[in-house]
Amino acid sequence: MNSIETKLNKARTGKITPIKQDSEEKAIISVRDLNLFYGEKQALFSVSMDIQEKEVTALIGPSGCGKSTFLRTLNRMNDLIDSVQINGDIVIDNENIYQTNDVIKLRTKVGMVFQKANLFPMSIYDNVAYGPRMQGLKNKKELDKIVEESLRGAAIWDEVKDRLKTSALGLSGGQQQRICIARAIAMKPEIILMDEPTSALDPISTLKVEELIEKMKKDFTIVIVTHNMQQAARISDKTAFFLNGEVIEYEQTDKIFSMPNDQRTEDYITGRFG
Amino acid sequence: MSALPEKMGNANKKKYILEGLSSKLFQFCALISVISLLLIVGFVFYKGSLPFVVDGYSFIDFLTGVDWVPSEEKFGILPMIVASVYATIGALIIGVPVGLFTAIFLAEIAPKRVAKFISPAVQLLAGIPSVLYGVFGLAIIVPFLQNVLNLPRGQSLLAVILVLAIMMLPTIVTVAETAIRAVPKTYREGSLALGASQIETIFKVVVPAAKSGVMAAIVLGVGRAIGETMAVILVAGNSLIIPTSLTDSLRPLTTNIALEMGYAFGSHQNMLFATGIVLFSFILILNFVLAKISAKGEK
Ligand SMILES: Nc1ncnc2c1ncn2[C@@H]1O[C@H](COP(=O)(O)OP(=O)(O)OP(=O)(O)O)[C@@H](O)[C@H]1O
Ligand SMILES: [Mg+2]
């Protein structure tokens, strides 16, 4: 992260011109000309995108096209990989996230749910309370309240309320994934990133998570990667189609699934390649 | 379809014979290990119990006596028990934290290039014969303590503790590092994504997740320290007193056996076996306690 590009970035202002000024909707995330390299290999090519507040944005595209890579730039999880080089701007809440040093604050604002449930080997309660505790919250009453609210928010309170102190790893896969969502909610983030959150779940658990996402939309901005076209169509407001590290098309979901502009999008969603 | 089953029948017959033979072989090997172990333990216990069962010595006096003068038939090993306990605890107090922090550093914090170089080097240290640690202690640590603390002799409890702590480091570091590296990456990502810092992630998630491996590292390290003989002989001073300060010379249980077994006979020799029994029980108790602690941690 000490490339010339970064220095150039620093010289620029955090302000960004919107791609199009057609709506009154407020973009909570603005991405401009984002390029990402794993060592020599470029994985994202000049990605620009405005993501609206309190909407579900789905990222679709064939395997290896950079969906996860893009998603992970939004909370700077790519920082963990040594070889990653990034240039371009990502502005969240009027702050250029690659120009601040406060990654922790960013991650409290932008939560993440992973493909495989990754609960810690501790109790359900401690898992959900983990984030708030890391922010210095110690008051037991407040923690109790947050844990309950978050578990209710993730529609799993009734299933686990009698076993909060037991190990979280004893739950079923679907329950674990919803606890992961509760754990993310407990931070009261503005944005929640989800990377194929249902790909390891059975259809019924998937349905539950989808219903949950639908419900969460009124409180959170959600960006979700999915390989499941029906899922994208069902739950998202906008959809971005990625191919080989580029955004081919980014549109209202119903539009993209009924009359896509680009032939490649159409080929992909109708299953002709991918 | 017609010829195949017959051929397969033959192949399977061979398989069964081979299967039977190899399982016999494994049983035989297992038997040898178990029998030799039983023989050793049985022999030590037999010889060690003779003075008390046959010659009428008091076992309580043996454990609580402070004088060890074989020529006068005085066999009290309390100073040695105390010496062993102090040396082990002291080595633990220094070796465990230093070893764990080194393991954490290598597994989590050090740049890959550095870890790639240091980890194998540390593993190599675990294979160095213990007498060389003793020589190092005698050549470096003992004179150093002598000069810095202005002692008449540098051979002391502190020297033993330092040598044992250094000796257990490679074991603790290697085993703990392996355990920490085995913690799934998803735990770290999960924690960082929740706004935890790297250090918080290490201590709240990664190390607890590696707990059983870390415990194993400590148990192995302690085992190395408590049973160690050669390195200790060289730096302990071997005086038969109850050590009351870090600068006292001391004689742990192991070195007592090694120093005197060569020329001892009769009750004296049997008393050395009895010392062995005490050492053995000591190790059993320690392992039991550590296993209990780690089992408690699991829950
Ligand atoms: N840590 C890494 N180091 C090097 N290259 C990587 C790394 N992670 C991903 N890549 C490469 O970057 C490209 C994009 O990967 P990414 O994981 O973002 O794809 P994806 O769209 O999420 O795929 P999938 O649908 O299979 O999850 C791929 O070519 C991949 O090989
Ligand atoms: Mg992916």
Side-chain angles (χ1 to χ4, degrees):
Chain A
M1 279 305 296
N2 42 18
S3 61
I4 299 163
E5 285 88 353
T6 322
K7 281 183 196 137
L8 278 177
N9 276 346
K10 291 224 168 96
R12 280 185 226 158
T13 62
K15 292 235 175 64
I16 261 181
T17 45
I19 294 176
K20 44 184 177 180
Q21 241 141 352
D22 59 341
S23 63
E24 301 112 63
E25 283 173 321
K26 180 170 161 261
I28 188 168
I29 305 175
S30 299
V31 181
R32 289 295 173 279
D33 278 327
L34 181 74
N35 291 287
L36 184 144
F37 302 80
Y38 289 112
E40 297 290 295
K41 183 173 177 290
Q42 187 161 5
L44 293 176
F45 295 84
S46 187
V47 172
S48 294
M49 209 189 267
D50 276 333
I51 292 171
Q52 309 302 330
E53 200 172 1
K54 310 257 162 92
E55 280 193 357
V56 177
T57 302
L59 312 179
I60 60 170
S63 198
C65 66
K67 306 178 297 291
S68 299
T69 300
F70 173 70
L71 194 72
R72 293 161 66 94
T73 58
L74 300 179
N75 65 345
R76 291 187 57 172
M77 281 311 262
N78 288 317
D79 288 14
L80 304 184
I81 302 164
D82 293 335
S83 63
V84 167
Q85 287 277 325
I86 293 172
N87 64 65
D89 296 302
I90 299 180
V91 175
I92 294 180
D93 274 349
N94 302 318
E95 192 173 6
N96 193 325
I97 62 168
Y98 279 93
Q99 278 174 20
T100 104
N101 288 324
D102 198 348
V103 186
I104 290 177
K105 187 175 135 222
L106 170 71
R107 291 185 185 145
T108 59
K109 207 154 59 172
V110 185
M112 189 165 209
V113 175
F114 296 82
Q115 179 168 4
K116 256 189 81 196
N118 58 350
L119 293 176
F120 308 132
M122 39 175 104
S123 71
I124 296 172
Y125 184 98
D126 288 339
N127 264 286
V128 180
Y130 185 85
R133 277 182 178 146
M134 288 303 122
Q135 294 308 305
L137 187 63
K138 290 204 184 73
N139 185 306
K140 172 122 188 357
K141 272 217 189 85
E142 273 177 64
L143 281 174
D144 286 350
K145 191 164 146 260
I146 289 179
V147 169
E148 176 168 350
E149 275 172 8
S150 309
L151 289 169
R152 282 189 193 283
I156 193 167
W157 170 252
D158 290 328
E159 286 164 67
V160 300
K161 63 170 184 266
D162 299 323
R163 50 193 290 198
L164 291 178
K165 297 290 175 188
T166 62
S167 168
L169 301 185
L171 298 169
S172 78
Q175 288 174 322
Q176 288 196 21
Q177 193 60 298
R178 278 180 290 147
I179 303 273
C180 285
I181 294 175
R183 193 171 68 173
I185 293 176
M187 297 297 294
K188 305 208 165 77
E190 294 168 28
I191 300 160
I192 298 181
L193 311 173
M194 301 186 174
D195 195 347
E196 302 184 42
T198 62
S199 66
L201 302 184
D202 64 278
I204 293 180
S205 304
T206 301
L207 194 68
K208 282 190 183 152
V209 172
E210 284 184 14
E211 283 169 353
L212 176 57
I213 292 171
E214 205 95 40
K215 201 184 80 177
M216 283 161 63
K217 198 166 98 173
K218 68 179 201 312
D219 298 315
F220 305 101
T221 305
I222 295 172
V223 186
I224 179 172
V225 173
T226 177
H227 272 289
N228 181 331
M229 294 304 124
Q230 286 85 20
Q231 184 170 71
R234 274 195 300 264
I235 62 174
S236 71
D237 301 292
K238 289 215 176 63
T239 298
F241 171 57
F242 279 71
L243 189 63
N244 298 329
E246 283 181 80
V247 178
I248 302 298
E249 194 164 349
Y250 176 45
E251 261 302 343
Q252 297 292 335
T253 297
D254 41 13
K255 170 125 195 313
I256 230 173
F257 280 96
S258 54
M259 15 169 221
N261 283 326
D262 197 291
Q263 185 60 37
R264 290 167 291 180
T265 316
E266 189 175 340
D267 287 347
Y268 181 71
I269 57 179
T270 54
R272 243 168 280 166
F273 77 89
Chain B
M1 269 306 283
S2 56
L4 202 53
E6 223 169 88
K7 261 192 202 157
M8 270 166 58
N10 274 339
N12 282 347
K13 223 176 262 166
K14 255 191 220 157
K15 234 190 244 178
Y16 283 124
I17 294 174
L18 210 66
E19 196 83 344
L21 276 181
S22 44
S23 97
K24 286 258 154 49
L25 185 69
F26 292 138
Q27 273 177 21
F28 182 66
C29 293
L31 213 63
I32 290 185
S33 340
V34 172
I35 286 179
S36 39
L37 205 74
L38 286 180
L39 273 180
I40 294 174
V41 175
F43 183 69
V44 170
F45 270 78
Y46 166 71
K47 293 281 272 181
S49 61
L50 282 181
F52 312 108
V53 178
V54 179
D55 305 339
Y57 287 96
S58 149
F59 189 63
I60 303 293
D61 289 349
F62 172 66
L63 288 183
T64 57
V66 293
D67 293 316
W68 175 272
V69 192
S71 54
E72 294 172 22
E73 304 274 297
K74 283 187 185 154
F75 300 105
I77 60 165
L78 187 64
M80 304 169 207
I81 295 179
V82 174
S84 278
V85 172
Y86 282 179
T88 305
I89 292 177
L92 271 177
I93 289 174
I94 297 178
V96 169
V98 174
L100 282 188
F101 282 119
T102 310
I104 290 171
F105 173 75
L106 289 177
E108 295 286 316
I109 299 170
K112 270 202 195 91
R113 265 172 287 137
V114 178
K116 238 185 210 151
F117 171 72
I118 296 183
S119 299
V122 171
Q123 272 168 32
L124 208 67
L125 285 181
I128 291 181
S130 62
V131 66
L132 290 184
Y133 283 93
V135 170
F136 166 78
L138 190 63
I140 311 272
I141 295 176
V142 168
F144 176 79
L145 293 179
Q146 205 162 327
N147 290 335
V148 172
L149 302 179
N150 215 356
L151 304 174
R153 300 171 68 201
Q155 274 117 331
S156 59
L157 177 58
L158 188 56
V160 172
I161 287 175
L162 290 179
V163 167
L164 288 181
I166 294 172
M167 266 189 71
M168 58 205 260
L169 279 183
T171 313
I172 295 184
V173 172
T174 306
V175 178
E177 187 193 341
T178 311
I180 291 170
R181 280 192 194 280
V183 173
K185 203 174 90 199
T186 55
Y187 284 172
R188 298 183 182 89
E189 289 187 337
S191 170
L192 292 170
L194 286 165
S197 68
Q198 191 190 8
I199 297 296
E200 285 167 341
T201 299
I202 289 172
F203 285 102
K204 300 283 179 189
V205 175
V206 178
V207 172
K211 200 163 39 193
S212 58
V214 167
M215 264 300 167
I218 295 173
V219 170
L220 289 174
V222 172
R224 186 126 206 236
I226 198 173
E228 181 45 38
T229 312
M230 284 320 295
V232 175
I233 285 184
L234 294 177
V235 299
N238 301 314
S239 305
L240 279 163
I241 52 164
I242 295 183
T244 51
S245 87
L246 283 172
T247 55
D248 279 351
S249 162
L250 74 166
R251 180 188 292 201
L253 294 164
T254 49
T255 55
N256 187 48
I257 300 173
L259 283 170
E260 299 188 0
M261 195 54 109
Y263 61 85
F265 58 90
S267 311
H268 183 194
Q269 192 187 52
N270 291 342
M271 279 301 189
L272 292 178
F273 278 104
T275 313
I277 297 177
V278 173
L279 184 64
F280 187 71
S281 322
F282 200 38
I283 293 174
L284 279 187
I285 292 170
L286 218 108
N287 270 332
F288 183 74
V289 169
L290 285 172
K292 266 267 139 56
I293 294 175
S294 67
K296 211 174 180 186
E298 291 292 278
K299 276 181 199 160

